[in-house]
Amino acid sequence: MEKKSFLGITFLLILLMPSRMEARVCQSQSHGFNGLCWSDHNCAVVCRNEHFTGGRCRGLRRKCFCTRNC
């Protein structure tokens, strides 16, 4: 009986574990993007030129925020 309980608990723990560990994502407002940000693609291109891994438009004021793994 103890072996079944142990196997059941082990199985549940494996199911509850995240499938992969994700890195935290840091964000910083772009210094090179001018105007309102309506296209995530354009924001990401500008951010890559600022040595970030990507970027996206955010907020009511539609600012471009660059992203990278922390």
Side-chain angles (χ1 to χ4, degrees), residues 1 12 18 28-29 32-33 36 40 47 49-50 58 70:
M1 185 68 178
L12 286 174
S28 175
Q29 188 173 343
F33 194 92
L36 294 175
D40 287 338
C47 288
N49 288 332
E50 295 179 26
R58 287 192 37 218
C70 298

Side-chain angles (χ1 to χ4, degrees), residues 17-26 68-70:
M17 290 177 62
S19 60
R20 64 179 183 153
M21 298 300 289
E22 294 188 23
R24 289 187 351 200
V25 175
C26 292
R68 66 176 173 83
N69 290 336
C70 298

Side-chain angles (χ1 to χ4, degrees), residues 38-70:
W38 296 108
S39 169
D40 287 338
H41 176 74
N42 291 343
C43 176
V45 169
V46 171
C47 288
R48 284 189 209 108
N49 288 332
E50 295 179 26
H51 306 290
F52 285 88
T53 57
R56 60 185 287 247
C57 303
R58 287 192 37 218
L60 293 174
R61 293 181 161 181
R62 304 307 299 168
K63 298 284 185 177
C64 175
F65 282 84
C66 300
T67 58
R68 66 176 173 83
N69 290 336
C70 298

